Amino acid sequence: MTYFLKSGNTYRVSAKEAMDLREHLPGGNYLVKKDPYENLYLEAIDNFEIKGKIYGDTLKHTRRVLATFADRPSATGVMLSGEKGSGKTLLAKNICAEAARQDIPTIVINTPWCGDQFNSLVQSIEQPCIVLFDEFEKVYDNDEQEQMLTLLDGVFPSKKLFILTCNDKWRVNEHMRNRPGRIYYMLDFAGLDAGFIREYCVDNLKNKNYTEDVVQIAGVFDKFNFDMLKALIEEMNRFDESPQESIRMLNTKPEFSGHCRYEIKLVVDGEEIPREKLSRQETNVNPLTSQFSINYKKEDEHDDDGWVWGEIEVDPKQLKKIDDNGTRYIFNTCEGTVILKRVQEKTIQYWDAF
């Protein structure tokens, strides 16, 4: 028997097995595609799988976001901002995976779809649905972001959870910032906290005596992410060594994270050398891996050319203590004690006007 599939005024020959009409879009993941006739449609893709133990606040944030989405009457926007490996993508995927278990579908957006046709497709899904924009500020330029504002405003009646992940929140359209009507939640993933690191070490670090050393090392970085932690623990376990030794080999350097300036304090024979007598009052060395030297004017010592200068050579192996949450480094040398205190850089905001 021949079957005909009617769409508008168009009839197409179709096998009976190919006709599967649903009143409800099943929970799972879908991509937006365009057919040769410029019509948009959805294509099912694999669901997100979260393997292994989930650390930190991911589960708590998942429950909160989904509870808020269930409670609010229409659209809810969530922006997750942070560098790669910081945990934002894990949270986004976990929210979508949990939603799938509740039979809520997720539309994954990795192409800059926008405009009336895309809005109509999204709003044609009348059931609760998640729309996930991965690396939003990279996929959508500013003009395309402007076109998304109407969709995010929630003026359409259908209930949607819009999740936007981004690496740089300052590249997101200014009309989405401080606008909870469009983006209700804004979460910054600036790096792992000490509790997360300790919990991971308990489960994965063979020599637990190094746990607090790992926490201190993480404090050296402006943003210590999960990729860094995983690699560090793997290297320590493989060679049974301290985090200071492992970090010297890994592609994990404090100077890459944006904080690399340190104030210098020098103590010789129990007396602090006044800062004005130091050859330099700041340095941008890597305290974990760099050898460096400090020159200072010796008290009341002169020669024919002026001051007599003393020199202290500092080696990373002389590092005795890291404290103040990884921002203060104390080196004990034969000539004296050198203390480096990290200088906090001011955050630079890149506004649209620039």
Side-chain angles (χ1 to χ4, degrees):
M1 180 178 294
T2 301
Y3 290 89
F4 296 90
L5 181 63
K6 183 178 183 293
S7 177
N9 293 324
T10 302
Y11 290 81
R12 291 187 177 89
V13 176
S14 174
K16 181 179 181 181
E17 294 77 11
M19 293 186 288
D20 184 6
L21 298 179
R22 305 285 183 95
E23 295 182 353
H24 178 88
L25 187 63
N29 292 348
Y30 302 85
L31 283 179
V32 177
K33 295 291 188 72
K34 181 178 286 189
D35 66 21
Y37 304 98
E38 299 296 308
N39 298 311
L40 298 183
Y41 64 95
L42 299 178
E43 181 177 280
I45 59 175
D46 292 338
N47 290 349
F48 294 128
E49 279 190 59
I50 311 298
K51 297 180 180 180
K53 181 177 178 179
I54 298 178
Y55 294 88
D57 294 329
T58 299
L59 296 178
K60 181 179 73 173
H61 291 332
T62 296
R63 290 190 292 268
R64 186 184 184 107
V65 169
L66 288 176
T68 298
F69 174 51
D71 187 61
R72 303 186 81 226
S74 56
T76 298
V78 177
M79 183 172 293
L80 309 177
S81 172
E83 297 179 350
K84 287 184 178 295
S86 61
K88 68 181 187 301
T89 302
L90 174 63
L91 175 58
K93 288 182 176 180
N94 196 63
I95 292 171
C96 297
E98 179 58 35
R101 287 188 280 271
Q102 300 177 24
D103 203 26
I104 298 173
T106 293
I107 313 302
V108 179
I109 306 298
N110 52 21
T111 300
W113 299 111
C114 57
D116 292 340
Q117 188 181 22
F118 174 68
N119 290 353
S120 296
L121 173 68
V122 173
Q123 295 308 321
S124 68
I125 306 171
E126 298 179 351
Q127 68 195 78
C129 175
I130 295 175
V131 184
L132 172 62
F133 298 89
D134 190 29
E135 296 191 323
F136 179 74
E137 87 284 21
K138 292 184 179 180
V139 174
Y140 287 82
D141 63 26
N142 193 58
D143 290 340
E144 291 163 341
Q145 291 183 29
E146 287 274 359
Q147 296 183 57
M148 299 301 298
L149 298 180
T150 300
L151 187 66
L152 296 173
D153 273 334
V155 297
F156 298 100
S158 59
K159 189 180 179 71
K160 299 292 183 294
L161 175 61
F162 297 106
I163 301 177
L164 291 70
T165 72
C166 66
N167 295 333
D168 183 0
K169 64 184 177 183
W170 300 110
R171 288 178 56 193
V172 173
N173 187 279
E174 63 177 336
H175 299 297
M176 297 183 193
R177 302 194 294 260
N178 284 341
R179 294 294 298 271
R182 288 174 175 149
I183 305 295
Y184 189 75
Y185 285 138
M186 164 73 81
L187 287 176
D188 283 320
F189 292 78
L192 307 181
D193 60 31
F196 185 111
I197 294 169
R198 289 190 180 97
E199 184 180 358
Y200 188 83
C201 288
V202 167
D203 290 344
N204 298 281
L205 181 60
K206 291 180 180 178
N207 189 341
K208 302 296 191 291
N209 293 327
Y210 285 130
T211 297
E212 290 307 310
D213 292 335
V214 173
V215 173
Q216 291 178 341
I217 289 292
V220 175
F221 296 81
D222 178 31
K223 298 174 182 178
F224 192 78
N225 61 43
F226 184 70
D227 287 349
M228 295 177 180
L229 177 61
K230 184 178 178 181
L232 179 58
I233 300 305
E234 177 186 333
E235 190 74 0
M236 291 172 62
N237 287 342
R238 181 178 294 116
F239 295 104
D240 189 25
E241 61 187 11
S242 70
Q244 290 90 339
E245 292 173 300
S246 290
I247 210 82
R248 290 174 190 145
M249 295 294 296
L250 291 171
N251 179 22
T252 304
K253 310 299 181 189
E255 58 264 36
F256 295 158
S257 68
H259 284 273
C260 56
R261 291 173 51 232
Y262 302 89
E263 292 180 349
I264 299 172
K265 179 179 178 180
L266 176 60
V267 178
V268 177
D269 296 330
E271 296 290 333
E272 181 178 350
I273 304 299
R275 287 173 57 82
E276 60 271 15
K277 291 187 176 182
L278 299 178
S279 60
R280 52 178 175 166
Q281 298 179 0
E282 291 186 356
T283 182
N284 61 351
V285 300
N286 181 336
L288 299 178
T289 61
S290 300
Q291 293 180 337
F292 60 98
S293 62
I294 300 172
N295 295 328
Y296 65 99
K297 297 175 180 177
K298 289 192 173 182
E299 189 70 28
D300 298 327
E301 291 189 29
H302 301 263
D303 58 20
D304 294 339
D305 297 322
W307 285 92
V308 173
W309 290 84
E311 183 179 38
I312 293 184
E313 298 283 348
V314 183
D315 187 278
K317 296 178 181 179
Q318 296 167 326
L319 180 62
K320 298 301 180 184
K321 186 178 181 183
I322 305 175
D323 59 11
D324 293 349
N325 294 321
T327 63
R328 189 166 174 262
Y329 313 90
I330 302 173
F331 299 83
N332 287 340
T333 73
C334 296
E335 297 85 1
T337 299
V338 177
I339 301 172
L340 300 183
K341 176 70 174 180
R342 192 171 73 190
V343 178
Q344 295 291 335
E345 303 281 1
K346 293 182 179 180
T347 300
I348 299 175
Q349 298 176 351
Y350 296 94
W351 302 99
D352 294 345
F354 296 93

